[in-house]
Amino acid sequence: MKILIIGYMHPKYDKRVFRTVKSLSKENEIIYQYITPGIEKEYTEKNIKYIPITYKINFQNRIKEIKQRLNFDRQIIKMIKEKKYDILYMHHFLASRPIEPFKIAKKRKKRIIYDIHEYHPENFLNNLTGIKKQIKEKALWKIFEKQLQLSDKLIFVSEDMKNDIYQKLKIKKEYLILKNYAEISVESKKKIKEISFVGKINRNLDDEKEIIKVLINRGFNFKIIGMESEYFKDIPHEYTTFLPYNEMMEELSKSLFSLISFNTVKNRNYKNDLFSLPNKYYDSIACDTPVIVKNTFISMAKEVEKLGIGVVINPKNTEESVEKILKAYENYDEIMKNIKKHKNKFIWTEEKEKQFIEFIIRR
């Protein structure tokens, strides 16, 4: 079986995308498109033909950026038209031609797998407001519905996202829930009285900062794993530079808690956040670190409370949030028992991989 995997704007080793490439390449021939900021040549290694497309966002010149994106999309359309493959696996849609790849593959009688990472109608151009936002979302829902109709099978990151989309569009389509599982399991050897935040600080955490300040006064440390940021210059903290995945997991395993709370956009009902189950959530549990999750993250909050693997807070209520975290600290042994009990659910295993491959290949 030959599978064309379109990573679109995802870099070569994007965790979710590259997992599908590696897994499917074990028994199939893969053609893999990904983005690169530099110049790279195509090459083949084992069962994977790597096809890099150079692209670097032009923030200074909007017109040049649009032309560049149009050219980028044309290159991918050409691949979908001309490459020999049995299955088209889409990890996103083309901004300038959102339906065309699906139509081309369908016309060529190829099977189409659509891996839906985000809640697309809200995710695309997510900073629009007012009437522009309403018009954008109405148009995108029609496009999204057509994409789903043309697809043979769908993949979602969470059950809540799938349920919400299926209910709105009244569709029935074979699907698989493929979560952002951790790559490895790490046994925590020691715990430091600290709260860690993993990843880039590119989101609003103003409410959470007030909670962190109080907890620092109560004897906790705060650590940013992955980078230093001016955003937290008003809070005493430690930080690490970017760490390879295994080292990041070891570092995170030392923390008492992992903070998973942020605002991607101003809209607090942004479903891409509400139904999100980010990598850092799975990584935290996989390295024996309980999570502190914002209550509006519906999918995460529901699971955290059900499994007892952390604490759910309302960041706008500082006093209540601090008390909940301190209570979780008092009941830490019980939370750790729950994490040990449910840990395997958060890790990518051979069994999960087998299920994924079977879903993709099966007609």
Side-chain angles (χ1 to χ4, degrees), residues 22-74:
K22 289 190 298 181
S23 297
L24 293 170
S25 70
K26 291 182 177 180
E27 298 178 4
N28 304 278
E29 188 176 345
I30 305 297
I31 305 170
Y32 173 38
Q33 174 272 321
Y34 60 92
I35 192 173
T36 176
I39 304 298
E40 294 183 29
K41 292 183 178 180
E42 296 182 10
Y43 71 98
T44 300
E45 187 174 275
K46 296 181 179 179
N47 287 338
I48 307 171
K49 181 177 180 61
Y50 293 89
I51 302 182
I53 298 181
T54 301
Y55 190 96
K56 192 171 183 179
I57 296 176
N58 190 327
F59 292 103
Q60 282 72 41
N61 192 314
R62 184 61 178 164
I63 294 176
K64 286 185 178 180
E65 168 61 22
I66 291 173
K67 289 181 179 179
Q68 183 180 227
R69 179 63 71 90
L70 289 171
N71 181 58
F72 181 75
D73 287 357
R74 278 194 291 269

Side-chain angles (χ1 to χ4, degrees), residues 183-187 189 194 196 198 223-226 239-255 283 287 289:
E183 293 284 346
I184 59 174
S185 173
V186 174
E187 297 295 325
K189 299 179 180 64
E194 67 182 13
S196 285
V198 181
K223 178 182 285 185
I224 303 169
I225 299 177
Y239 74 95
T240 74
T241 54
F242 173 79
L243 298 175
Y245 182 72
N246 287 17
E247 292 181 30
M248 179 277 291
M249 292 290 280
E250 289 290 344
E251 193 67 29
L252 183 57
S253 73
K254 301 172 187 176
S255 298
D283 290 340
C287 64
T289 300

Side-chain angles (χ1 to χ4, degrees), residues 124-153:
F124 191 71
L125 299 176
N126 57 25
N127 285 316
L128 293 179
T129 58
I131 189 67
K132 290 182 180 180
K133 178 178 183 294
Q134 295 175 29
I135 294 171
K136 180 266 293 186
E137 289 186 8
K138 186 175 181 179
L140 274 174
W141 270 115
K142 291 182 179 179
I143 290 170
F144 192 43
E145 183 175 20
K146 187 63 177 178
Q147 291 172 340
L148 301 189
Q149 290 172 345
L150 290 169
S151 300
D152 294 284
K153 296 181 181 181

Side-chain angles (χ1 to χ4, degrees), residues 87-319:
I87 297 174
L88 173 64
Y89 192 123
M90 296 288 293
H91 273 286
H92 208 283
F93 65 85
L94 277 58
S96 67
R97 305 182 184 191
I99 299 176
E100 192 169 351
F102 298 84
K103 287 184 174 179
I104 293 169
K106 186 61 67 176
K107 187 176 181 180
R108 295 185 66 188
K109 302 189 185 309
K110 309 301 181 182
R111 280 191 285 149
I112 303 170
I113 309 294
Y114 194 11
D115 195 323
I116 302 162
H117 299 203
E118 293 92 13
Y119 199 99
H120 286 317
E122 290 192 7
N123 177 58
F124 191 71
L125 299 176
N126 57 25
N127 285 316
L128 293 179
T129 58
I131 189 67
K132 290 182 180 180
K133 178 178 183 294
Q134 295 175 29
I135 294 171
K136 180 266 293 186
E137 289 186 8
K138 186 175 181 179
L140 274 174
W141 270 115
K142 291 182 179 179
I143 290 170
F144 192 43
E145 183 175 20
K146 187 63 177 178
Q147 291 172 340
L148 301 189
Q149 290 172 345
L150 290 169
S151 300
D152 294 284
K153 296 181 181 181
L154 306 173
I155 296 177
F156 295 92
V157 295
S158 75
E159 192 77 38
D160 289 312
M161 183 183 290
K162 186 275 298 182
N163 289 341
D164 195 73
I165 290 170
Y166 274 35
Q167 182 178 6
K168 182 175 179 64
L169 296 179
K170 310 297 182 190
I171 65 170
K172 291 183 179 180
K173 184 79 67 169
E174 189 174 2
Y175 71 91
L176 176 72
I177 304 299
L178 183 64
K179 301 176 181 179
N180 290 315
Y181 299 107
E183 293 284 346
I184 59 174
S185 173
V186 174
E187 297 295 325
S188 181
K189 299 179 180 64
K190 66 174 181 178
K191 286 292 185 184
I192 302 170
K193 195 177 180 182
E194 67 182 13
I195 297 171
S196 285
F197 185 91
V198 181
K200 297 179 179 179
I201 312 298
N202 57 357
R203 294 161 176 173
N204 188 314
L205 286 154
D206 289 351
D207 296 328
E208 290 80 357
K209 286 169 76 171
E210 295 308 309
I211 296 170
I212 293 167
K213 288 176 183 178
V214 176
L215 289 170
I216 288 173
N217 289 333
R218 300 295 289 268
F220 285 82
N221 294 327
F222 181 59
K223 178 182 285 185
I224 303 169
I225 299 177
M227 69 173 294
E228 169 65 314
S229 171
E230 284 292 309
Y231 184 73
F232 282 111
K233 64 182 180 181
D234 57 330
I235 297 179
H237 67 276
E238 298 177 20
Y239 74 95
T240 74
T241 54
F242 173 79
L243 298 175
Y245 182 72
N246 287 17
E247 292 181 30
M248 179 277 291
M249 292 290 280
E250 289 290 344
E251 193 67 29
L252 183 57
S253 73
K254 301 172 187 176
S255 298
L256 279 179
F257 295 101
S258 172
L259 176 64
I260 305 176
S261 182
F262 49 80
N263 298 309
T264 305
V265 296
K266 293 180 180 179
N267 179 11
R268 296 299 183 267
N269 295 313
Y270 181 51
K271 290 184 177 179
N272 216 40
D273 284 348
L274 302 188
F275 301 143
S276 69
L277 290 167
N279 291 319
K280 67 179 73 177
Y281 172 57
Y282 290 90
D283 290 340
S284 298
I285 304 303
C287 64
D288 293 342
T289 300
V291 291
I292 300 171
V293 173
K294 185 168 72 167
N295 59 347
T296 55
F297 288 167
I298 294 173
S299 295
M300 273 187 285
K302 185 165 55 178
E303 191 168 65
V304 168
E305 291 185 332
K306 179 182 177 182
L307 302 181
I309 54 176
V311 56
V312 176
I313 64 169
N314 174 6
K316 290 192 172 297
N317 190 327
T318 300
E319 184 178 348

